[in-house]
Amino acid sequence: MPTQTKIKAFDLRELKVSCGSCSLSHLCLPHGLNSKELETLDESIQHKPSVEKGQALFHAGESLKSVHAIRSGSFKTVVLTNSGSEQITGFYLPGELIGLDGLGESKHRCTAVALESSTTCALDLDDLEKLCCSLGGLRRQFLHLIGHEINHDHEILLALGQMKGEERLAAFLLSLSRRLEMRGFSPIDFHLSMPRHDIANYLGLAVETLSRMFSRMQEEQIIHTNRRHVRILNMAALCTLAQAEPRSLDTRQG
Amino acid sequence: MPTQTKIKAFDLRELKVSCGSCSLSHLCLPHGLNSKELETLDESIQHKPSVEKGQALFHAGESLKSVHAIRSGSFKTVVLTNSGSEQITGFYLPGELIGLDGLGESKHRCTAVALESSTTCALDLDDLEKLCCSLGGLRRQFLHLIGHEINHDHEILLALGQMKGEERLAAFLLSLSRRLEMRGFSPIDFHLSMPRHDIANYLGLAVETLSRMFSRMQEEQIIHTNRRHVRILNMAALCTLAQAEPRSLDTRQG
DNA sequence: CGGCTTTTTGAACCCCATCAATATCCGTGG
DNA sequence: CCACGGATATTGATGGGGTTCAAAAAGCCG
């Protein structure tokens, strides 16, 4: 704890990396930009110090100055009712944009909490808007990322509205698998950065029910799981459960 | 039916109205633009013939050429699983933008079906992008409407994940009430353009359950309802049920 | 009126929430 | 090194909200 501030100061220098050298550029805003355009984008990006596990990147109600691209780690976004109950609206992995929900009222509507020690890049919204005008590729990619956010929400809507507990978990694991694979990780053997409680909330289930679903899918030899570690044993069965096409939750042929 | 084509041809001329004279301009994309800017926007807008009840404005899988602003009537958007079950992701009223979910892959991911005879304005996406560069107000409004779409999705997520049946219905009616009021209609006495079946699907309930919720809220003197007609008798109680602040589902003080 | 869709109501069952208890992991300190 | 406490996760038992099956009632339109 006491040494943390020193480490942070060090990191701040270390983190002065560019979009061009970032391993996530193909997923993030830089996608499709040439090296000159990347330089322009770089100038508007602010590399933030790490957010520690459990800390908030931003809170609901705060005015929206910038959107954040995740560089490492992971986040959850939470909205809450006046009665105090909360709903997790998404989990965010490196390369994904967080804070888009604030565009409506120029004010964050959810709170973003780090699931582990994480780093982000902040993109000033005014700068981003201006850049979008001069860089068509950036504009298109920004809109694509917005579209993905909406699509993702619709997928969960479908899960919450139509699926049974086990199917929801299957869809969740499949979505995670696919996204991890895009980031160069194993799609069949991975670590969950969030506790059961968060997954349950996200999927609209009680923790106990979720735990039973994990156990049942283990009995059915679909997955092997030990706490936060997950290995997918039968991908086909998982897809069937999730009512998805083999090896993909949301990619459609066209 | 046979006379329809003639009527359509007539309507096409009739519908050549401008954003400036549109009663929805304060809610729609024109919001915040001056008269000169409105003219520019008008040139990119295509007034479409009416879509009849049950007809689709666009289908899932079609490539995304434009987004649509609703001018009159109402729509539902539906996503579907491979197993055939479908989930309604939203109901759209005049002044609202439909088709934003397609931004992700430049392809519609949902099907938009008219709930009644409706008219729309089509905005070519390429034109809209270009206009957003020159018209800062338009750009901001476009982003706001996108933000509203995301916020709305998160509200339903909260409803599906946290609320009981009766609470979901309360939240739904309250959201509708507020949106109708913004369009100059009575917020406590209105007509539902969608059947029970659609509301039930949207709220993740069985039709029978939804019908019981309607009946129960009538017994509780919170609403009076006769089929598609709804009158709100006890707004405070409705807000309490929906876990919302009095007279608003999603507006926050700040 | 007759056939259709839409809506409501009834009864039985089931999935899941809830309450309760145990088990496992992890960090801290003895 | 092990003991201890707290957070996390699993498992069991019970009950309730909602689905499902079934059917009647009410509107719509020919």
Side-chain angles (χ1 to χ4, degrees), chain B residues 4-20:
Chain B
Q4 201 165 305
T5 45
K6 259 194 281 182
I7 292 175
K8 266 189 186 171
F10 178 73
D11 281 349
L12 263 173
R13 299 243 140 265
E14 192 77 46
L15 297 182
K16 193 53 205 165
V17 293
S18 71
C19 287

Side-chain angles (χ1 to χ4, degrees), chain A residues 208-240:
Chain A
E208 298 91 327
T209 306
L210 181 76
S211 185
R212 274 181 251 275
M213 299 303 148
F214 267 107
S215 300
R216 189 194 297 177
M217 287 177 67
Q218 177 137 301
E219 282 171 21
E220 296 167 329
Q221 305 271 321
I222 298 174
I223 60 172
H224 173 85
T225 170
N226 187 307
R227 299 217 141 211
R228 307 248 178 133
H229 182 264
V230 173
R231 178 143 36 94
I232 298 177
L233 303 176
N234 187 341
M235 183 61 84
L238 198 65
C239 293
T240 305

